[in-house]
Amino acid sequence: MTEALRTLFISTPGTSLWLDGDAVRITSPDRPGRHLQPLVRLDHLVVNKGVHVSEDLFHRCSEDGRSVTWLSQNGKLLTRTSGRRTGGARLRIEQVRAYDDPARRLALARAFVAGKLHNYRQLVLRIARDRQGGDRELLRDIAADHAATLPRLREADDLDTIRGLEGSAARRYFQAMGVLIPGANPGRTRRPPTDPVNCALSFGYTMLEVATRGAVDEVGLDPFIGYLHDVRPGKASLSLDLMEEFRTMLVDRLVITLFNKKQLSERDMETLPGGEVRFTKEGRKAFLSHWSTARDRMWHHPVLDREVPASTLPLLQARLLARHLRGDTPTYTPWSAG
C-alpha cells in the first residue's frame, strides 16, 4: 500500500483489522507484530473474504465516508459500503434527466465506447512496434478496424448498434491475445476465467471497478444509473460505463506487461476442479503490488492538458461527467491515452 493511492489492500485470510485511535491496526498470520496505518491517509479499504473488519472500524469508516469493499478469493466483488452520500440531489436529478433523454443517453454511450476504441487502438499500435512479420500486420489490421469503427459509432442512432460495435471491436481485440502475449489463449473467458491471462484480467477489472465506483460515489453521482449498460437491480451501471475508458490502458496494458516480462506466470495461479483459474495467495499479493505501482504511473490528460497519476483518472472523469450533466459543459469527453 502506498500513501499516494490512499487504498489499503488486505488479501490474506485470517487477517484482522481493528480501530486503534485514528489508525487501522492490522494483525496478520503472515506478519507477526503490531502494524498501523493512519486513517487520514486512507480513502478506501479493499479486503478479501476471510478478513475480519471490526465493528468499531466499520462504523468509523462509515462515519468518515470511507468505503470498505469485500472481494471473494477469486477476485469477484461481493459487496461494498461507502457511508454517507456526498454531492447534491440536483446532480442526481440531472443524471436521471439525461438517462430519460434518448439523445443525451446515446451521446454519452457513444463517448464511453469511443474512449475504449481509441485506447484499444493506441495499445495495439504500441505493441505492434515490437512485433515482426505477420504478427505486426495482424495488430495493425486490428488497429485499422478500430479506427474505421469510430465514424460508424458517431452515426449509430440506437444503443443496440453502439453495443454491437463495441462487442465486435472487443472480440477482434481479444482474439489477438496470443499475439499480445505470446502463448496466451485467444479470446476472453470469464465467469469463470479458465486460463491465467483471463484470471489476471478479471481480477484487474475488479480492482478497476472498485476505483470507478469510489470515484462515482465521491462526486455524488448515482452508480446504478448508467447510459451504456442496462439499468438493473444491483448493477452499478454508471461505474461500468466509466470503466470502459480505462480497461485497456490501466488493466490490459499491465497484464500484458506482467506476462511478457515473466513477472506473472502460471505459478501464480491455481486451477479448481471445475476448471476455474484463480490467483494463489502469493499470486494475488504479487498482482496487487504491481497494481499499486501502476496506479502511480503518470498519464497525460487531454482535457486538463497535464500529467496526472493513474489513480486519479476515474475521479477526474467522474467530475467531468458531473460538470456535463449539470450543464456546465456541452459534451462529455472521454479519457484517451495520447
Side-chain angles (χ1 to χ4, degrees):
M1 201 280 296
T2 64
E3 181 176 344
L5 295 178
R6 305 179 68 87
T7 301
L8 178 66
F9 298 106
I10 301 292
S11 61
T12 303
T15 300
S16 295
L17 306 181
W18 308 87
L19 182 64
D20 192 331
D22 291 319
V24 179
R25 175 162 48 87
I26 305 166
T27 59
S28 172
D30 289 352
R31 298 178 62 200
R34 185 169 175 265
H35 306 281
L36 298 177
Q37 288 288 347
L39 281 168
V40 70
R41 297 180 181 176
L42 300 175
D43 290 325
H44 313 286
L45 275 64
V46 180
V47 301
N48 274 77
K49 184 178 180 180
V51 173
H52 171 71
V53 179
S54 74
E55 184 176 349
D56 286 346
L57 177 59
F58 180 79
H59 289 165
R60 174 64 181 272
C61 288
S62 181
E63 290 171 4
D64 293 348
R66 185 177 294 104
S67 71
V68 183
T69 300
W70 280 267
L71 307 178
S72 69
Q73 289 303 312
N74 62 359
K76 180 181 178 181
L77 197 153
L78 298 176
T79 189
R80 182 180 186 278
T81 63
S82 57
R84 293 190 295 267
R85 293 296 303 270
T86 59
R90 176 58 57 185
L91 173 58
R92 291 190 284 279
I93 289 172
E94 294 301 332
Q95 183 181 354
V96 173
R97 285 176 175 166
Y99 176 83
D100 286 335
D101 183 329
R104 293 183 70 188
R105 186 179 179 189
L106 281 174
L108 286 166
R110 286 192 200 99
F112 295 129
V113 175
K116 183 176 188 177
L117 290 177
H118 181 88
N119 288 327
Y120 268 159
R121 183 171 180 272
Q122 290 298 313
L123 181 62
V124 167
L125 286 175
R126 291 182 187 190
I127 295 175
R129 299 188 195 115
D130 298 326
R131 299 294 185 267
Q132 302 293 328
D135 286 349
R136 175 181 290 181
E137 292 306 312
L138 173 64
L139 294 178
R140 287 177 173 174
D141 285 346
I142 292 172
D145 281 352
H146 290 155
T149 301
L150 288 169
R152 296 169 60 196
L153 181 64
R154 289 191 290 269
E155 296 169 0
D157 57 4
D158 63 80
L159 282 171
D160 285 342
T161 301
I162 291 172
R163 291 168 180 156
L165 292 171
E166 184 277 330
S168 295
R171 282 190 293 274
R172 186 82 197 277
Y173 167 78
F174 281 112
Q175 281 300 315
M177 194 55 67
V179 177
L180 299 172
I181 304 174
N185 293 337
R188 176 83 176 104
T189 61
R190 51 188 175 179
R191 302 188 188 98
T194 56
D195 63 80
V197 171
N198 278 288
C199 170
L201 287 171
S202 292
F203 193 84
Y205 292 151
T206 299
M207 294 296 101
L208 182 58
E209 185 179 356
V210 169
T212 55
R213 176 69 184 274
V216 166
D217 280 337
E218 185 167 338
V219 169
L221 292 161
D222 189 325
F224 297 100
I225 301 176
Y227 303 99
L228 174 64
H229 291 83
D230 287 329
V231 172
R232 285 186 284 187
K235 183 177 181 179
S237 301
L238 186 63
S239 301
L240 297 174
D241 286 355
L242 201 61
M243 275 180 64
E244 299 298 344
E245 306 170 29
F246 308 118
R247 287 176 184 266
T248 309
M249 288 303 186
L250 301 192
V251 178
D252 298 8
R253 179 184 176 276
L254 173 63
V255 170
I256 290 168
T257 299
L258 293 178
F259 276 97
N260 285 340
K261 290 188 174 181
K262 310 300 183 186
Q263 295 173 304
L264 207 59
S265 71
E266 294 184 4
R267 294 189 301 273
D268 298 302
M269 318 282 177
E270 59 184 355
T271 303
L272 303 184
E276 177 182 1
V277 175
R278 72 179 186 184
F279 276 116
T280 63
K281 181 176 70 173
E282 293 305 318
R284 189 165 51 247
K285 286 182 179 180
F287 184 87
L288 287 172
S289 176
H290 291 299
W291 170 257
S292 295
T293 299
R295 300 261 290 163
D296 286 332
R297 187 190 192 279
M298 302 299 288
W299 290 92
H300 183 71
H301 196 290
V303 174
L304 303 179
D305 194 24
R306 61 183 172 88
E307 302 294 306
V308 300
S311 58
T312 66
L313 283 171
L315 180 59
L316 293 172
Q317 288 304 118
R319 287 173 177 168
L320 290 175
L321 177 59
R323 289 183 61 193
H324 167 64
L325 293 172
R326 285 193 296 260
D328 298 333
T329 56
T331 58
Y332 170 72
T333 303
W335 176 75
S336 57

